[in-house]
């Protein structure tokens, strides 16, 4: 938030600033079935990276919820996960106050990095604290699950092996590699991928010990790469430098490197037609640290 924005408020001290909403990577993603209600059964491994959106909050005495963001020009208010998260919390607790919220958006939309879900989780965590609601982490995760299958892992705050629709979480500690993440210039619809009849839905369920030792893959990758040449091109370039795959339903792809400098060297060779960044894998979300400071 800029100083100019801060000065529009009578009481700067009331603003709680710099709540991180980190990106995640799906280190692997298997689709093991589809339920009668249409939701897909998954096995996946979530790890955070140190690339984040940031949110600032100003609690207010009336129930109005207001979001300040360039995103609000793109996403309709009724579809905005930040406002939906805040409203869900209000309604669950019958809370009579509200908030102004500022979003600094750094994560790409439709990239498979979980930006919208992470923003929603940070909103739930921060407002639970700032509104003095004292809800448990489990309750916040239950509220978050109704907003999106990835929200609970961001509320949980630790790398996790996930099953079910993504809500059954088991903490794990995969290696914290450095990642070169390429962001293809395309928005991939998660809904469209999961509705596609060509999506594999029958990968056998495996025990976590077996999964943690296998060569990791993403069941959505082949379909997305066939539909979006930008993703295929990014993968074919990146795999020359490191073990590489797609995260989530795309479009972002990532390669893992043991050394930061090696990842930066590869980034320097990235074709001008592609965009990317280097990030550190994190088994604890920066949101956990920020919560402990508030």
């Amino acid at each position: 938030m800029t100083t100019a924005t801060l000065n529009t408020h009578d009481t700067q001290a009331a603003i709680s600033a710099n709540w991180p909403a980190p990106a995640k990577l799906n280190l692997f993603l298997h689709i093991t079935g589809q339920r009668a209600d249409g939701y897909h059964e998954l096995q996946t491994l979530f790890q955070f990276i140190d690339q984040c959106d940031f949110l600032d909050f100003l609690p207010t005495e009336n129930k109005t919820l207001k979001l300040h963001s360039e995103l609000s020009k793109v996403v309709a208010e009724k579809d905005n996960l930040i406002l939906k998260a805040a409203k869900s919390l209000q309604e669950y607790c019958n809370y009579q106050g509200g908030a102004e919220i500022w979003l600094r958006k750094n994560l790409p939309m439709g990239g498979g990095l979980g930006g919208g879900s992470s923003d929603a989780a940070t909103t739930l965590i921060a407002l639970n604290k700032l509104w003095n609601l004292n809800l448990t982490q489990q309750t916040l995760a239950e509220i978050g699950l109704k907003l999106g299958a990835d929200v609970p892992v961001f509320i949980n705050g630790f790398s996790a092996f996930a099953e079910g629709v993504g809500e059954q979480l088991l903490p794990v500690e995969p290696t914290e590699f450095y990642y070169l993440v390429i962001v293809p210039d395309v928005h991939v619809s998660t809904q469209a991928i999961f509705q596609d009849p060509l999506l594999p839905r029958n990968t056998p369920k495996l025990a976590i010990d077996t999964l943690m030792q296998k060569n990791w893959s993403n069941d959505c990758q082949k379909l997305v790469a066939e539909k979006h040449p930008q993703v295929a091109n990014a993968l074919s370039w990146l795999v020359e430098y490191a073990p590489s795959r797609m995260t989530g339903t795309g479009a972002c792809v990532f390669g893992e490197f043991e050394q930061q400098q090696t990842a930066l060297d590869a980034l320097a060779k990235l074709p001008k037609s592609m965009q990317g960044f280097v990030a550190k894998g994190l088994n604890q979300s920066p949101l956990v640290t920020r919560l402990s400071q508030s």
Side-chain angles (χ1 to χ4, degrees), residues 180-195:
L180 170 52
V181 181
I182 298 180
V183 186
D185 187 19
V186 59
H187 184 290
V188 177
S189 165
T190 297
Q191 184 178 19
I193 295 303
F194 276 121
Q195 288 178 348

Side-chain angles (χ1 to χ4, degrees), residues 15-37:
I15 295 173
S16 187
N18 295 320
W19 288 81
K24 58 82 178 168
L25 297 177
N26 295 87
L27 299 186
F28 65 79
L29 175 58
H30 298 167
I31 314 296
T32 58
Q34 186 171 16
R35 306 189 318 196
D37 62 7

